[in-house]
Amino acid sequence: ISVSSTSLHDDDGAFAGTVVSFSDITELMLALQAKDRFLASVSHEFRTPLTSILGYLDVALELEAELPEQARHYLRVARRNALRLERLVEDFLAINAGTFEVNPVRTDVGLILAEAAESALVRATRAGLRLVNRAPASLPAVVDPDRLGQVVDNLLSNAMKYNRPGGCITLDAALDGTTLRIEVEDTGIGIAPEEVQHVFDRFFRSASVRSTGVTGVGLGLLITRSIVGEHNGSISVTSELGEGTCFTILLPQG
Ligand code: ADP
C-alpha cells in the first residue's frame, strides 16, 4: 500500500484539514518484479554473444593498418557501443546481486570532467545544444576515475536527450571544504514535481519523456546513484517542468 497526504488551507492560509490517500500498488510491484526478472535473464543471455562480438571486433581492429579509414571508424564505433552494452548488462547484474563496487584512488577530477565534456560536445553540437564546462582544469580528489567518468557521461547524456534545440548544458565542479561537488545543469524539458522523487527508481521514465519517443530503459540514474552511494556520496536533483534540471553530486573527501 502506498500512502500520500496533502494539507489543505483555506483562503486565509489557515489549516483546514488533511487528505490522506491509500493506493494498492500490488500490481505495480508485481510488474516491477517481472521486469527485474526478465532483464536479469536477458542480461545473462546477452553475456556470451557480447563477449563474442567484442572478441571479433578486437581481432578486426588488430588488422587496423590494412583497413580503410572509414572501416576503422565504423569498427571503433561498434566496439564503443558494444562496451557500453556490456557495461549496462554487468552493472545491472552486479546491482541486483549486491556485488557492485568502486575503487577510489587519488586522481584528477578536472581531467575526467574535461574528457567527458569533450566527448559529449560532438553530440551536443550536432543536436544544436551548447555545452559549457565550468569545472577547473585540474581538481585533485579521491574517486574511482572510470566510475566517475561513467556518472558524468550518464548525466551529460540525459541532459542532451531531454533537452530542446538551442538549449544549454553546464558542467561544474568544486571542492567545498572536504566535499567534492559536481553539477550538471540543463535548460531542457524538466521533470514534473510529482515525478522528480522517482527519477532514481529502476525503470522509471517520466510521462513527458515517454511521449517524446526518446529511447531509454530507466536504468542510467539507478546505476549513477549506486556509483555515488559506493563513494559514500549523495546525488540530488532539482527541476522545473519546461525550464530545466540540475543534478548535484556530493562526494566526501578525507
Ligand atoms: P533513461 O534515460 O534510460 O530513461 P535514466 O535512469 O537515466 O533512464 O533516467 C530516468 C528518467 O528520469 C528519464 O527517463 C527521464 O524521464 C528523467 N530524466 C533524467 N534526466 C533528466 C533530465 N536531465 N531532464 C529531464 N528528465 C530527466
PDB file of all heavy atoms in Angstrom, residues 154-155 158-163 186 188-191 195 198-201 203-210 214-222 239 244-245 247, ligand 1:
ATOM      1  N   ASN A 154      26.692   9.688 -18.070  1.00  0.00           N
ATOM      2  CA  ASN A 154      25.253   9.438 -17.914  1.00  0.00           C
ATOM      3  C   ASN A 154      24.465  10.733 -17.779  1.00  0.00           C
ATOM      4  O   ASN A 154      23.450  10.932 -18.457  1.00  0.00           O
ATOM      5  CB  ASN A 154      24.996   8.635 -16.621  1.00  0.00           C
ATOM      6  CG  ASN A 154      24.862   7.162 -16.884  1.00  0.00           C
ATOM      7  OD1 ASN A 154      24.691   6.749 -18.020  1.00  0.00           O
ATOM      8  ND2 ASN A 154      24.932   6.378 -15.825  1.00  0.00           N
ATOM      9  N   LEU A 155      24.962  11.613 -16.886  1.00  0.00           N
ATOM     10  CA  LEU A 155      24.223  12.856 -16.625  1.00  0.00           C
ATOM     11  C   LEU A 155      24.255  13.777 -17.843  1.00  0.00           C
ATOM     12  O   LEU A 155      23.249  14.402 -18.185  1.00  0.00           O
ATOM     13  CB  LEU A 155      24.783  13.567 -15.393  1.00  0.00           C
ATOM     14  CG  LEU A 155      24.622  12.808 -14.071  1.00  0.00           C
ATOM     15  CD1 LEU A 155      25.211  13.600 -12.913  1.00  0.00           C
ATOM     16  CD2 LEU A 155      23.146  12.500 -13.778  1.00  0.00           C
ATOM     17  N   ASN A 158      21.846  12.358 -20.456  1.00  0.00           N
ATOM     18  CA  ASN A 158      20.452  12.714 -20.150  1.00  0.00           C
ATOM     19  C   ASN A 158      20.170  14.188 -20.442  1.00  0.00           C
ATOM     20  O   ASN A 158      19.124  14.533 -20.992  1.00  0.00           O
ATOM     21  CB  ASN A 158      20.144  12.443 -18.674  1.00  0.00           C
ATOM     22  CG  ASN A 158      19.873  10.976 -18.412  1.00  0.00           C
ATOM     23  OD1 ASN A 158      19.720  10.195 -19.344  1.00  0.00           O
ATOM     24  ND2 ASN A 158      19.814  10.601 -17.150  1.00  0.00           N
ATOM     25  N   ALA A 159      21.135  15.047 -20.056  1.00  0.00           N
ATOM     26  CA  ALA A 159      20.948  16.492 -20.263  1.00  0.00           C
ATOM     27  C   ALA A 159      20.786  16.805 -21.754  1.00  0.00           C
ATOM     28  O   ALA A 159      20.093  17.747 -22.132  1.00  0.00           O
ATOM     29  CB  ALA A 159      22.122  17.261 -19.677  1.00  0.00           C
ATOM     30  N   MET A 160      21.403  15.966 -22.605  1.00  0.00           N
ATOM     31  CA  MET A 160      21.262  16.169 -24.055  1.00  0.00           C
ATOM     32  C   MET A 160      19.966  15.549 -24.567  1.00  0.00           C
ATOM     33  O   MET A 160      19.258  16.137 -25.372  1.00  0.00           O
ATOM     34  CB  MET A 160      22.460  15.564 -24.787  1.00  0.00           C
ATOM     35  CG  MET A 160      23.726  16.343 -24.558  1.00  0.00           C
ATOM     36  SD  MET A 160      25.085  15.751 -25.577  1.00  0.00           S
ATOM     37  CE  MET A 160      25.690  14.394 -24.626  1.00  0.00           C
ATOM     38  N   LYS A 161      19.682  14.320 -24.069  1.00  0.00           N
ATOM     39  CA  LYS A 161      18.489  13.604 -24.534  1.00  0.00           C
ATOM     40  C   LYS A 161      17.210  14.360 -24.201  1.00  0.00           C
ATOM     41  O   LYS A 161      16.267  14.395 -24.978  1.00  0.00           O
ATOM     42  CB  LYS A 161      18.414  12.234 -23.838  1.00  0.00           C
ATOM     43  CG  LYS A 161      19.054  11.107 -24.601  1.00  0.00           C
ATOM     44  CD  LYS A 161      19.356   9.901 -23.711  1.00  0.00           C
ATOM     45  CE  LYS A 161      18.140   9.189 -23.193  1.00  0.00           C
ATOM     46  NZ  LYS A 161      18.484   7.945 -22.450  1.00  0.00           N
ATOM     47  N   TYR A 162      17.180  14.933 -22.980  1.00  0.00           N
ATOM     48  CA  TYR A 162      15.943  15.563 -22.505  1.00  0.00           C
ATOM     49  C   TYR A 162      16.048  17.077 -22.592  1.00  0.00           C
ATOM     50  O   TYR A 162      15.692  17.786 -21.666  1.00  0.00           O
ATOM     51  CB  TYR A 162      15.630  15.065 -21.089  1.00  0.00           C
ATOM     52  CG  TYR A 162      15.611  13.551 -21.048  1.00  0.00           C
ATOM     53  CD1 TYR A 162      16.411  12.829 -20.176  1.00  0.00           C
ATOM     54  CD2 TYR A 162      14.804  12.838 -21.935  1.00  0.00           C
ATOM     55  CE1 TYR A 162      16.406  11.440 -20.179  1.00  0.00           C
ATOM     56  CE2 TYR A 162      14.793  11.450 -21.950  1.00  0.00           C
ATOM     57  CZ  TYR A 162      15.594  10.763 -21.071  1.00  0.00           C
ATOM     58  OH  TYR A 162      15.589   9.385 -21.083  1.00  0.00           O
ATOM     59  N   ASN A 163      16.597  17.548 -23.722  1.00  0.00           N
ATOM     60  CA  ASN A 163      16.765  18.980 -23.925  1.00  0.00           C
ATOM     61  C   ASN A 163      15.913  19.444 -25.096  1.00  0.00           C
ATOM     62  O   ASN A 163      15.126  18.665 -25.643  1.00  0.00           O
ATOM     63  CB  ASN A 163      18.246  19.287 -24.162  1.00  0.00           C
ATOM     64  CG  ASN A 163      18.651  20.565 -23.484  1.00  0.00           C
ATOM     65  OD1 ASN A 163      18.008  21.588 -23.677  1.00  0.00           O
ATOM     66  ND2 ASN A 163      19.700  20.507 -22.689  1.00  0.00           N
ATOM     67  N   ASP A 186      20.833  21.607 -16.946  1.00  0.00           N
ATOM     68  CA  ASP A 186      20.380  21.795 -18.328  1.00  0.00           C
ATOM     69  C   ASP A 186      19.156  22.696 -18.381  1.00  0.00           C
ATOM     70  O   ASP A 186      18.468  22.882 -17.384  1.00  0.00           O
ATOM     71  CB  ASP A 186      20.102  20.437 -19.006  1.00  0.00           C
ATOM     72  CG  ASP A 186      18.926  19.701 -18.394  1.00  0.00           C
ATOM     73  OD1 ASP A 186      17.786  20.210 -18.465  1.00  0.00           O
ATOM     74  OD2 ASP A 186      19.144  18.608 -17.834  1.00  0.00           O
ATOM     75  N   GLY A 188      16.593  22.023 -20.270  1.00  0.00           N
ATOM     76  CA  GLY A 188      15.774  21.120 -21.069  1.00  0.00           C
ATOM     77  C   GLY A 188      14.316  21.057 -20.668  1.00  0.00           C
ATOM     78  O   GLY A 188      13.766  22.016 -20.117  1.00  0.00           O
ATOM     79  N   ILE A 189      13.716  19.891 -20.906  1.00  0.00           N
ATOM     80  CA  ILE A 189      12.259  19.749 -20.746  1.00  0.00           C
ATOM     81  C   ILE A 189      11.808  19.723 -19.292  1.00  0.00           C
ATOM     82  O   ILE A 189      10.648  19.954 -19.001  1.00  0.00           O
ATOM     83  CB  ILE A 189      11.742  18.472 -21.460  1.00  0.00           C
ATOM     84  CG1 ILE A 189      12.357  17.212 -20.854  1.00  0.00           C
ATOM     85  CG2 ILE A 189      12.030  18.537 -22.954  1.00  0.00           C
ATOM     86  CD1 ILE A 189      11.760  15.915 -21.376  1.00  0.00           C
ATOM     87  N   GLY A 190      12.745  19.438 -18.358  1.00  0.00           N
ATOM     88  CA  GLY A 190      12.401  19.423 -16.937  1.00  0.00           C
ATOM     89  C   GLY A 190      11.570  18.208 -16.534  1.00  0.00           C
ATOM     90  O   GLY A 190      11.211  17.368 -17.366  1.00  0.00           O
ATOM     91  N   ILE A 191      11.295  18.112 -15.235  1.00  0.00           N
ATOM     92  CA  ILE A 191      10.558  16.974 -14.683  1.00  0.00           C
ATOM     93  C   ILE A 191       9.437  17.522 -13.797  1.00  0.00           C
ATOM     94  O   ILE A 191       9.659  18.457 -13.026  1.00  0.00           O
ATOM     95  CB  ILE A 191      11.496  16.077 -13.839  1.00  0.00           C
ATOM     96  CG1 ILE A 191      12.744  15.678 -14.656  1.00  0.00           C
ATOM     97  CG2 ILE A 191      10.785  14.831 -13.333  1.00  0.00           C
ATOM     98  CD1 ILE A 191      13.918  15.229 -13.814  1.00  0.00           C
ATOM     99  N   GLU A 195       6.909  13.817 -10.148  1.00  0.00           N
ATOM    100  CA  GLU A 195       7.724  12.716 -10.688  1.00  0.00           C
ATOM    101  C   GLU A 195       9.179  12.783 -10.242  1.00  0.00           C
ATOM    102  O   GLU A 195       9.896  11.784 -10.304  1.00  0.00           O
ATOM    103  CB  GLU A 195       7.672  12.734 -12.222  1.00  0.00           C
ATOM    104  CG  GLU A 195       6.312  12.386 -12.763  1.00  0.00           C
ATOM    105  CD  GLU A 195       6.344  12.146 -14.265  1.00  0.00           C
ATOM    106  OE1 GLU A 195       6.884  13.000 -14.995  1.00  0.00           O
ATOM    107  OE2 GLU A 195       5.839  11.114 -14.704  1.00  0.00           O
ATOM    108  N   HIS A 198      11.030  10.217  -8.227  1.00  0.00           N
ATOM    109  CA  HIS A 198      11.112   8.843  -8.749  1.00  0.00           C
ATOM    110  C   HIS A 198      12.233   8.630  -9.771  1.00  0.00           C
ATOM    111  O   HIS A 198      12.422   7.520 -10.240  1.00  0.00           O
ATOM    112  CB  HIS A 198       9.786   8.458  -9.416  1.00  0.00           C
ATOM    113  CG  HIS A 198       8.654   8.400  -8.442  1.00  0.00           C
ATOM    114  ND1 HIS A 198       8.621   7.505  -7.403  1.00  0.00           N
ATOM    115  CD2 HIS A 198       7.532   9.147  -8.333  1.00  0.00           C
ATOM    116  CE1 HIS A 198       7.520   7.691  -6.693  1.00  0.00           C
ATOM    117  NE2 HIS A 198       6.849   8.686  -7.234  1.00  0.00           N
ATOM    118  N   VAL A 199      12.962   9.705 -10.127  1.00  0.00           N
ATOM    119  CA  VAL A 199      13.900   9.564 -11.250  1.00  0.00           C
ATOM    120  C   VAL A 199      14.998   8.521 -11.005  1.00  0.00           C
ATOM    121  O   VAL A 199      15.562   7.994 -11.951  1.00  0.00           O
ATOM    122  CB  VAL A 199      14.556  10.905 -11.698  1.00  0.00           C
ATOM    123  CG1 VAL A 199      13.538  11.825 -12.307  1.00  0.00           C
ATOM    124  CG2 VAL A 199      15.310  11.556 -10.580  1.00  0.00           C
ATOM    125  N   PHE A 200      15.299   8.214  -9.723  1.00  0.00           N
ATOM    126  CA  PHE A 200      16.355   7.229  -9.444  1.00  0.00           C
ATOM    127  C   PHE A 200      15.787   5.805  -9.335  1.00  0.00           C
ATOM    128  O   PHE A 200      16.530   4.856  -9.140  1.00  0.00           O
ATOM    129  CB  PHE A 200      17.108   7.599  -8.163  1.00  0.00           C
ATOM    130  CG  PHE A 200      17.798   8.931  -8.238  1.00  0.00           C
ATOM    131  CD1 PHE A 200      17.276  10.046  -7.605  1.00  0.00           C
ATOM    132  CD2 PHE A 200      18.964   9.073  -8.984  1.00  0.00           C
ATOM    133  CE1 PHE A 200      17.905  11.278  -7.687  1.00  0.00           C
ATOM    134  CE2 PHE A 200      19.596  10.306  -9.083  1.00  0.00           C
ATOM    135  CZ  PHE A 200      19.065  11.410  -8.439  1.00  0.00           C
ATOM    136  N   ASP A 201      14.459   5.665  -9.432  1.00  0.00           N
ATOM    137  CA  ASP A 201      13.848   4.336  -9.341  1.00  0.00           C
ATOM    138  C   ASP A 201      14.174   3.524 -10.586  1.00  0.00           C
ATOM    139  O   ASP A 201      14.243   4.080 -11.697  1.00  0.00           O
ATOM    140  CB  ASP A 201      12.309   4.440  -9.246  1.00  0.00           C
ATOM    141  CG  ASP A 201      11.857   5.117  -7.967  1.00  0.00           C
ATOM    142  OD1 ASP A 201      12.719   5.378  -7.109  1.00  0.00           O
ATOM    143  OD2 ASP A 201      10.647   5.398  -7.846  1.00  0.00           O
ATOM    144  N   PHE A 203      13.771   1.501 -13.840  1.00  0.00           N
ATOM    145  CA  PHE A 203      12.820   1.505 -14.958  1.00  0.00           C
ATOM    146  C   PHE A 203      11.936   2.756 -15.026  1.00  0.00           C
ATOM    147  O   PHE A 203      11.025   2.820 -15.838  1.00  0.00           O
ATOM    148  CB  PHE A 203      11.908   0.269 -14.941  1.00  0.00           C
ATOM    149  CG  PHE A 203      12.648  -1.036 -14.884  1.00  0.00           C
ATOM    150  CD1 PHE A 203      12.401  -1.956 -13.879  1.00  0.00           C
ATOM    151  CD2 PHE A 203      13.594  -1.342 -15.847  1.00  0.00           C
ATOM    152  CE1 PHE A 203      13.098  -3.159 -13.820  1.00  0.00           C
ATOM    153  CE2 PHE A 203      14.298  -2.538 -15.805  1.00  0.00           C
ATOM    154  CZ  PHE A 203      14.044  -3.451 -14.789  1.00  0.00           C
ATOM    155  N   PHE A 204      12.212   3.754 -14.146  1.00  0.00           N
ATOM    156  CA  PHE A 204      11.337   4.940 -14.195  1.00  0.00           C
ATOM    157  C   PHE A 204      11.634   5.794 -15.430  1.00  0.00           C
ATOM    158  O   PHE A 204      12.783   6.065 -15.757  1.00  0.00           O
ATOM    159  CB  PHE A 204      11.499   5.813 -12.946  1.00  0.00           C
ATOM    160  CG  PHE A 204      10.665   7.071 -13.039  1.00  0.00           C
ATOM    161  CD1 PHE A 204       9.313   7.019 -12.763  1.00  0.00           C
ATOM    162  CD2 PHE A 204      11.217   8.271 -13.489  1.00  0.00           C
ATOM    163  CE1 PHE A 204       8.524   8.158 -12.908  1.00  0.00           C
ATOM    164  CE2 PHE A 204      10.437   9.404 -13.636  1.00  0.00           C
ATOM    165  CZ  PHE A 204       9.087   9.347 -13.342  1.00  0.00           C
ATOM    166  N   ARG A 205      10.568   6.210 -16.114  1.00  0.00           N
ATOM    167  CA  ARG A 205      10.673   7.183 -17.199  1.00  0.00           C
ATOM    168  C   ARG A 205       9.488   8.124 -17.053  1.00  0.00           C
ATOM    169  O   ARG A 205       8.356   7.684 -16.880  1.00  0.00           O
ATOM    170  CB  ARG A 205      10.619   6.485 -18.575  1.00  0.00           C
ATOM    171  CG  ARG A 205      11.650   5.345 -18.702  1.00  0.00           C
ATOM    172  CD  ARG A 205      12.042   5.092 -20.132  1.00  0.00           C
ATOM    173  NE  ARG A 205      12.886   6.163 -20.645  1.00  0.00           N
ATOM    174  CZ  ARG A 205      12.773   6.663 -21.871  1.00  0.00           C
ATOM    175  NH1 ARG A 205      11.858   6.220 -22.683  1.00  0.00           N
ATOM    176  NH2 ARG A 205      13.573   7.626 -22.269  1.00  0.00           N
ATOM    177  N   SER A 206       9.730   9.433 -17.101  1.00  0.00           N
ATOM    178  CA  SER A 206       8.649  10.382 -16.853  1.00  0.00           C
ATOM    179  C   SER A 206       7.627  10.370 -17.997  1.00  0.00           C
ATOM    180  O   SER A 206       7.938   9.970 -19.118  1.00  0.00           O
ATOM    181  CB  SER A 206       9.207  11.790 -16.674  1.00  0.00           C
ATOM    182  OG  SER A 206       9.728  12.256 -17.896  1.00  0.00           O
ATOM    183  N   ALA A 207       6.416  10.836 -17.697  1.00  0.00           N
ATOM    184  CA  ALA A 207       5.340  10.842 -18.690  1.00  0.00           C
ATOM    185  C   ALA A 207       5.740  11.671 -19.907  1.00  0.00           C
ATOM    186  O   ALA A 207       5.528  11.255 -21.058  1.00  0.00           O
ATOM    187  CB  ALA A 207       4.074  11.397 -18.057  1.00  0.00           C
ATOM    188  N   SER A 208       6.382  12.838 -19.660  1.00  0.00           N
ATOM    189  CA  SER A 208       6.734  13.716 -20.787  1.00  0.00           C
ATOM    190  C   SER A 208       7.761  13.038 -21.691  1.00  0.00           C
ATOM    191  O   SER A 208       7.741  13.207 -22.909  1.00  0.00           O
ATOM    192  CB  SER A 208       7.268  15.054 -20.274  1.00  0.00           C
ATOM    193  OG  SER A 208       8.229  14.853 -19.280  1.00  0.00           O
ATOM    194  N   VAL A 209       8.656  12.251 -21.098  1.00  0.00           N
ATOM    195  CA  VAL A 209       9.685  11.565 -21.877  1.00  0.00           C
ATOM    196  C   VAL A 209       9.088  10.430 -22.704  1.00  0.00           C
ATOM    197  O   VAL A 209       9.433  10.231 -23.864  1.00  0.00           O
ATOM    198  CB  VAL A 209      10.772  11.040 -20.908  1.00  0.00           C
ATOM    199  CG1 VAL A 209      11.551   9.904 -21.512  1.00  0.00           C
ATOM    200  CG2 VAL A 209      11.702  12.170 -20.513  1.00  0.00           C
ATOM    201  N   ARG A 210       8.172   9.683 -22.096  1.00  0.00           N
ATOM    202  CA  ARG A 210       7.569   8.548 -22.800  1.00  0.00           C
ATOM    203  C   ARG A 210       6.839   9.012 -24.056  1.00  0.00           C
ATOM    204  O   ARG A 210       6.820   8.333 -25.065  1.00  0.00           O
ATOM    205  CB  ARG A 210       6.637   7.761 -21.872  1.00  0.00           C
ATOM    206  CG  ARG A 210       7.422   6.735 -21.052  1.00  0.00           C
ATOM    207  CD  ARG A 210       6.519   5.971 -20.141  1.00  0.00           C
ATOM    208  NE  ARG A 210       6.359   6.666 -18.867  1.00  0.00           N
ATOM    209  CZ  ARG A 210       5.219   6.827 -18.230  1.00  0.00           C
ATOM    210  NH1 ARG A 210       4.115   6.351 -18.731  1.00  0.00           N
ATOM    211  NH2 ARG A 210       5.187   7.461 -17.084  1.00  0.00           N
ATOM    212  N   VAL A 214      11.931   9.546 -27.131  1.00  0.00           N
ATOM    213  CA  VAL A 214      13.363   9.404 -26.845  1.00  0.00           C
ATOM    214  C   VAL A 214      13.549   8.066 -26.130  1.00  0.00           C
ATOM    215  O   VAL A 214      12.849   7.774 -25.168  1.00  0.00           O
ATOM    216  CB  VAL A 214      13.883  10.554 -25.945  1.00  0.00           C
ATOM    217  CG1 VAL A 214      15.342  10.351 -25.596  1.00  0.00           C
ATOM    218  CG2 VAL A 214      13.677  11.886 -26.625  1.00  0.00           C
ATOM    219  N   THR A 215      14.500   7.256 -26.641  1.00  0.00           N
ATOM    220  CA  THR A 215      14.612   5.904 -26.081  1.00  0.00           C
ATOM    221  C   THR A 215      15.413   5.878 -24.780  1.00  0.00           C
ATOM    222  O   THR A 215      16.212   6.767 -24.494  1.00  0.00           O
ATOM    223  CB  THR A 215      15.299   4.947 -27.082  1.00  0.00           C
ATOM    224  OG1 THR A 215      16.560   5.525 -27.416  1.00  0.00           O
ATOM    225  CG2 THR A 215      14.457   4.763 -28.321  1.00  0.00           C
ATOM    226  N   GLY A 216      15.182   4.842 -23.992  1.00  0.00           N
ATOM    227  CA  GLY A 216      15.865   4.658 -22.714  1.00  0.00           C
ATOM    228  C   GLY A 216      15.168   3.551 -21.955  1.00  0.00           C
ATOM    229  O   GLY A 216      14.035   3.188 -22.297  1.00  0.00           O
ATOM    230  N   VAL A 217      15.865   2.986 -20.953  1.00  0.00           N
ATOM    231  CA  VAL A 217      15.229   1.921 -20.178  1.00  0.00           C
ATOM    232  C   VAL A 217      14.999   2.304 -18.729  1.00  0.00           C
ATOM    233  O   VAL A 217      14.376   1.566 -17.977  1.00  0.00           O
ATOM    234  CB  VAL A 217      16.052   0.598 -20.211  1.00  0.00           C
ATOM    235  CG1 VAL A 217      15.709  -0.225 -21.419  1.00  0.00           C
ATOM    236  CG2 VAL A 217      17.529   0.857 -20.109  1.00  0.00           C
ATOM    237  N   GLY A 218      15.521   3.468 -18.323  1.00  0.00           N
ATOM    238  CA  GLY A 218      15.318   3.883 -16.943  1.00  0.00           C
ATOM    239  C   GLY A 218      16.264   3.193 -15.974  1.00  0.00           C
ATOM    240  O   GLY A 218      15.898   2.904 -14.841  1.00  0.00           O
ATOM    241  N   LEU A 219      17.500   2.931 -16.430  1.00  0.00           N
ATOM    242  CA  LEU A 219      18.487   2.306 -15.530  1.00  0.00           C
ATOM    243  C   LEU A 219      19.690   3.219 -15.272  1.00  0.00           C
ATOM    244  O   LEU A 219      20.422   3.027 -14.308  1.00  0.00           O
ATOM    245  CB  LEU A 219      18.998   0.986 -16.122  1.00  0.00           C
ATOM    246  CG  LEU A 219      18.021  -0.189 -16.081  1.00  0.00           C
ATOM    247  CD1 LEU A 219      18.630  -1.401 -16.777  1.00  0.00           C
ATOM    248  CD2 LEU A 219      17.647  -0.548 -14.648  1.00  0.00           C
ATOM    249  N   GLY A 220      19.883   4.219 -16.145  1.00  0.00           N
ATOM    250  CA  GLY A 220      21.071   5.085 -16.048  1.00  0.00           C
ATOM    251  C   GLY A 220      21.207   5.743 -14.680  1.00  0.00           C
ATOM    252  O   GLY A 220      22.282   5.713 -14.073  1.00  0.00           O
ATOM    253  N   LEU A 221      20.120   6.320 -14.190  1.00  0.00           N
ATOM    254  CA  LEU A 221      20.214   7.033 -12.908  1.00  0.00           C
ATOM    255  C   LEU A 221      20.296   6.075 -11.725  1.00  0.00           C
ATOM    256  O   LEU A 221      20.863   6.414 -10.696  1.00  0.00           O
ATOM    257  CB  LEU A 221      19.040   7.999 -12.741  1.00  0.00           C
ATOM    258  CG  LEU A 221      19.108   9.258 -13.619  1.00  0.00           C
ATOM    259  CD1 LEU A 221      17.871  10.123 -13.426  1.00  0.00           C
ATOM    260  CD2 LEU A 221      20.365  10.070 -13.319  1.00  0.00           C
ATOM    261  N   LEU A 222      19.748   4.880 -11.884  1.00  0.00           N
ATOM    262  CA  LEU A 222      19.879   3.857 -10.832  1.00  0.00           C
ATOM    263  C   LEU A 222      21.357   3.490 -10.678  1.00  0.00           C
ATOM    264  O   LEU A 222      21.897   3.434  -9.566  1.00  0.00           O
ATOM    265  CB  LEU A 222      19.064   2.615 -11.207  1.00  0.00           C
ATOM    266  CG  LEU A 222      19.222   1.415 -10.284  1.00  0.00           C
ATOM    267  CD1 LEU A 222      18.394   1.605  -9.028  1.00  0.00           C
ATOM    268  CD2 LEU A 222      18.819   0.119 -10.973  1.00  0.00           C
ATOM    269  N   SER A 239      14.335  20.396 -10.289  1.00  0.00           N
ATOM    270  CA  SER A 239      13.874  20.513 -11.665  1.00  0.00           C
ATOM    271  C   SER A 239      12.596  21.331 -11.745  1.00  0.00           C
ATOM    272  O   SER A 239      11.826  21.375 -10.785  1.00  0.00           O
ATOM    273  CB  SER A 239      13.610  19.115 -12.227  1.00  0.00           C
ATOM    274  OG  SER A 239      13.334  19.201 -13.608  1.00  0.00           O
ATOM    275  N   GLY A 244      14.065  23.262 -16.898  1.00  0.00           N
ATOM    276  CA  GLY A 244      15.367  22.599 -16.855  1.00  0.00           C
ATOM    277  C   GLY A 244      15.574  21.815 -15.574  1.00  0.00           C
ATOM    278  O   GLY A 244      14.722  21.801 -14.685  1.00  0.00           O
ATOM    279  N   THR A 245      16.735  21.159 -15.514  1.00  0.00           N
ATOM    280  CA  THR A 245      17.022  20.227 -14.427  1.00  0.00           C
ATOM    281  C   THR A 245      18.459  20.394 -13.985  1.00  0.00           C
ATOM    282  O   THR A 245      19.327  20.693 -14.808  1.00  0.00           O
ATOM    283  CB  THR A 245      16.801  18.780 -14.943  1.00  0.00           C
ATOM    284  OG1 THR A 245      15.484  18.692 -15.469  1.00  0.00           O
ATOM    285  CG2 THR A 245      16.986  17.743 -13.850  1.00  0.00           C
ATOM    286  N   PHE A 247      21.349  18.270 -11.590  1.00  0.00           N
ATOM    287  CA  PHE A 247      21.770  17.162 -10.730  1.00  0.00           C
ATOM    288  C   PHE A 247      23.020  17.606  -9.969  1.00  0.00           C
ATOM    289  O   PHE A 247      23.951  18.143 -10.570  1.00  0.00           O
ATOM    290  CB  PHE A 247      22.101  15.918 -11.565  1.00  0.00           C
ATOM    291  CG  PHE A 247      20.875  15.194 -12.040  1.00  0.00           C
ATOM    292  CD1 PHE A 247      20.306  15.504 -13.268  1.00  0.00           C
ATOM    293  CD2 PHE A 247      20.274  14.217 -11.263  1.00  0.00           C
ATOM    294  CE1 PHE A 247      19.167  14.844 -13.720  1.00  0.00           C
ATOM    295  CE2 PHE A 247      19.134  13.554 -11.689  1.00  0.00           C
ATOM    296  CZ  PHE A 247      18.575  13.862 -12.926  1.00  0.00           C
TER     297      PHE A 247
HETATM  298  P1  ADP B   1      16.666   6.665 -19.299  1.00  0.00           P
HETATM  299  O1  ADP B   1      17.331   7.925 -19.731  1.00  0.00           O
HETATM  300  O2  ADP B   1      17.210   5.433 -19.940  1.00  0.00           O
HETATM  301  O3  ADP B   1      15.166   6.743 -19.391  1.00  0.00           O
HETATM  302  P2  ADP B   1      17.577   7.298 -16.583  1.00  0.00           P
HETATM  303  O4  ADP B   1      17.590   6.395 -15.385  1.00  0.00           O
HETATM  304  O5  ADP B   1      18.868   7.899 -16.990  1.00  0.00           O
HETATM  305  O6  ADP B   1      16.953   6.417 -17.743  1.00  0.00           O
HETATM  306  O7  ADP B   1      16.521   8.466 -16.318  1.00  0.00           O
HETATM  307  C1  ADP B   1      15.241   8.159 -15.798  1.00  0.00           C
HETATM  308  C2  ADP B   1      14.225   9.211 -16.202  1.00  0.00           C
HETATM  309  O8  ADP B   1      14.483  10.435 -15.495  1.00  0.00           O
HETATM  310  C3  ADP B   1      14.242   9.609 -17.676  1.00  0.00           C
HETATM  311  O9  ADP B   1      13.503   8.718 -18.464  1.00  0.00           O
HETATM  312  C4  ADP B   1      13.605  10.989 -17.635  1.00  0.00           C
HETATM  313  O10 ADP B   1      12.194  10.877 -17.531  1.00  0.00           O
HETATM  314  C5  ADP B   1      14.138  11.554 -16.309  1.00  0.00           C
HETATM  315  N1  ADP B   1      15.339  12.389 -16.513  1.00  0.00           N
HETATM  316  C6  ADP B   1      16.614  12.041 -16.270  1.00  0.00           C
HETATM  317  N2  ADP B   1      17.456  13.052 -16.538  1.00  0.00           N
HETATM  318  C7  ADP B   1      16.688  14.083 -16.979  1.00  0.00           C
HETATM  319  C8  ADP B   1      16.962  15.428 -17.412  1.00  0.00           C
HETATM  320  N3  ADP B   1      18.206  15.921 -17.447  1.00  0.00           N
HETATM  321  N4  ADP B   1      15.901  16.205 -17.777  1.00  0.00           N
HETATM  322  C9  ADP B   1      14.631  15.723 -17.732  1.00  0.00           C
HETATM  323  N5  ADP B   1      14.295  14.463 -17.348  1.00  0.00           N
HETATM  324  C10 ADP B   1      15.326  13.660 -16.961  1.00  0.00           C
END
